[in-house]
Amino acid sequence: MNIILLGPPGAGKGTQARRLVEKHGMMQLSTGDMLRAARASGTAMGRKVAEVMDRGELVTDEIVIGLIEEQLDAGASGGFIFDGFPRTLAQADALGELLERKAQPLSAAIEIQVDDDALVRRITGRFTCADCGAVYHDETRPTEKDGVCDSCGSTNLQRRADDNEDSLRQRLLEYYKKTSTLLGYYYALGLLRRVDGMASTDEVAAAIEGAIRGELVRS
Ligand code: AP5
């Protein structure tokens, strides 16, 4: 199974990708995480990427396609979950070609649908564990012990530099201008599945499992 999780910032792509990793042993390929690692490295490329991300704009296709290509070469026995990639038609075409070259077909593109008002609340309340990547929220998913990650016990909990209202407005604009066209693209390929992302995290996970089971039955 190779699946794409599509949806605006804060839809829950990362949250659901981590569940799929745990349940199915799939490999999560998050271009956002890869770019954050590049910015943390402090290289010239990382500094350039950081400026673009903080403005809420998209990094160039060339950079992100290169990052994905490297990871695909490493392979994954349980299949890949593409989280935050592709985000443009050029990226979608490139992914199609890369997977075809590896004889690894795409199984489904799953859109997680969430209202804009809820996205703002989710993004402005989000914090993550910098050590293990666990995702939390001030109101809906606080840590059990204040300031300590439930998953790994780290106290290194952080908020993302682009999780503010100005960047979020730009990220949403980028999503509707450049990424939402991919919904039609994958619909035309017969690969689009939709889940209600306004439901609880468990319910969204169950809906995604249903979409995946449907694909397994078909294949
Ligand atoms: P990226 O890191 O991919 O960010 P994003 O797409 O904006 O998505 P987020 O990570 O913000 O949200 P999410 O959908 O994963 O939600 P989450 O699960 O955390 O990209 C960042 C930047 O990198 C981009 O702006 C761009 O500059 C660059 N970039 C990345 N990929 C690129 C590409 N391919 N091309 C070009 N540039 C690229 O959940 C959010 C919150 O909601 C959490 O607090 C969570 O606990 C909570 N939550 C989740 N599910 C639920 C639920 N069902 N109910 C209630 N709360 C929930």
Side-chain angles (χ1 to χ4, degrees), residues 8-15 31-33 35-36 52-53 56-59 64 83-87 91 122-123 126 135-137 140-141 160 162-163 171 197 199-201 204:
K13 303 179 296 293
T15 301
T31 39
D33 287 349
L35 292 167
R36 278 183 285 280
V52 177
M53 291 175 85
E57 294 169 7
L58 293 189
V59 172
V64 289
D83 161 11
F85 180 92
R87 268 171 142 105
Q91 293 178 24
R122 287 186 187 186
I123 289 288
R126 172 171 59 184
V135 183
Y136 298 98
H137 189 277
T140 55
R141 198 177 172 236
R160 273 169 45 178
D162 58 345
D163 277 355
R171 283 158 67 193
S200 72
T201 305
V204 178

